[in-house]
Amino acid sequence: NVAIAGHGGTGKTSLVEHILFAGQVLQKAETVDSGKTVSDYSDEEIERKISIHASLTHVTWNQIKINFIDTPGSSDFIGEVIGAFRTSESALVVIGAKVGVQIETLKLWRRLDAMKKPRMVFVNKLDRERADFEVVLDDIKGKFKNTFVPVSIPMGTGEEYKGIIDLIGMQAYFIPESGKTETAVEIPAEYAEAADEYR
């Protein structure tokens, strides 16, 4: 059980959609604006385009069922987040590549510390204008004083964003065409040095 948490607007619901798509639960990942996402299902959530309730979804990956709980980002609905943390073994904290660590992220991190929950960080929205992976990584390290080990790095950011490099498998994944899944390719020569350094 994994709680997906973070400040409002960091793209948690969209991330869940793409996890479900990658896990072959969905034929197409929907957008929050479309009002058709799996985890924002109530009329109020669809109308306001924000998560209000914690929503349970799951994928089966390598014969293991993984439950994901998409949580609201607004502090108005913190009770939903606390409930999700209590029922989860771990958390995936989503941080926007343009804005970095925000106040609600700090509060959620403290709650996870108090509950002694292991967690990962997902840097989202790397394709947005003024997104900067290096700056956000430094921000994360500075605000949380933990040792962070990237398992993937982006190929470019903002308008130059092309995809990611998996530092464990040492393979690259380019942004696929709409409706397609990405496939692993060799790391382009221009990113080979950065990949080696991070690995």
Side-chain angles (χ1 to χ4, degrees), residues 4 12-31 36-39 57-61 66 68 174-183:
I4 299 183
K12 297 176 295 298
T13 299
S14 297
L15 176 60
V16 169
E17 280 289 299
H18 285 276
I19 289 170
L20 295 175
F21 174 69
Q24 300 179 341
V25 175
L26 300 177
Q27 291 184 340
K28 178 186 175 192
E30 293 289 350
T31 64
K36 297 177 183 176
T37 60
V38 170
S39 54
T57 61
H58 76 272
V59 297
T60 301
W61 196 262
I66 306 169
F68 292 101
F174 285 90
I175 300 171
E177 293 177 34
S178 180
K180 307 271 185 181
T181 56
E182 61 275 302
T183 54

Side-chain angles (χ1 to χ4, degrees), residues 30-50:
E30 293 289 350
T31 64
V32 172
D33 287 337
S34 75
K36 297 177 183 176
T37 60
V38 170
S39 54
D40 283 354
Y41 56 85
S42 74
D43 291 342
E44 192 174 3
E45 287 174 313
I46 292 166
E47 182 184 328
R48 295 174 65 179
K49 297 183 180 6
I50 63 166

Side-chain angles (χ1 to χ4, degrees), residues 4-195:
I4 299 183
H7 195 93
T10 53
K12 297 176 295 298
T13 299
S14 297
L15 176 60
V16 169
E17 280 289 299
H18 285 276
I19 289 170
L20 295 175
F21 174 69
Q24 300 179 341
V25 175
L26 300 177
Q27 291 184 340
K28 178 186 175 192
E30 293 289 350
T31 64
V32 172
D33 287 337
S34 75
K36 297 177 183 176
T37 60
V38 170
S39 54
D40 283 354
Y41 56 85
S42 74
D43 291 342
E44 192 174 3
E45 287 174 313
I46 292 166
E47 182 184 328
R48 295 174 65 179
K49 297 183 180 6
I50 63 166
S51 297
I52 295 171
H53 311 285
S55 302
L56 177 65
T57 61
H58 76 272
V59 297
T60 301
W61 196 262
N62 293 332
Q63 300 180 336
I64 298 169
K65 182 182 177 188
I66 306 169
N67 295 311
F68 292 101
I69 305 173
D70 182 17
T71 66
S74 169
S75 60
D76 293 340
F77 310 112
I78 191 64
E80 296 284 318
V81 183
I82 293 168
F85 285 172
R86 286 181 179 156
T87 59
S88 299
E89 282 82 27
S90 62
L92 179 64
V93 178
V94 182
I95 297 174
K98 179 178 171 180
V99 293
V101 178
Q102 295 170 279
I103 187 65
E104 208 54 40
T105 320
L106 292 166
K107 291 178 183 176
L108 294 170
W109 197 270
R110 287 185 205 120
R111 285 188 184 277
L112 290 165
D113 278 343
M115 299 171 108
K116 295 182 171 58
K117 297 281 182 178
R119 68 213 76 151
M120 299 174 288
V121 172
F122 185 87
V123 179
N124 203 14
K125 300 189 175 187
L126 287 160
D127 58 342
R128 300 298 167 91
E129 187 180 347
R130 295 192 309 278
D132 193 319
F133 178 74
E134 300 284 345
V135 169
V136 171
L137 183 58
D138 287 343
D139 188 34
I140 292 166
K141 289 177 178 178
K143 297 254 173 61
F144 297 127
K145 311 293 185 204
N146 292 81
T147 301
F148 288 87
V149 181
V151 294
S152 65
I153 58 171
M155 293 185 286
T157 53
E159 291 180 3
E160 302 298 316
Y161 180 70
K162 299 176 185 75
I164 63 113
I165 295 171
D166 166 18
L167 296 171
I168 297 171
M170 288 303 278
Q171 294 177 310
Y173 294 85
F174 285 90
I175 300 171
E177 293 177 34
S178 180
K180 307 271 185 181
T181 56
E182 61 275 302
T183 54
V185 297
E186 190 175 327
I187 297 170
E190 63 188 296
Y191 297 107
E193 187 177 339

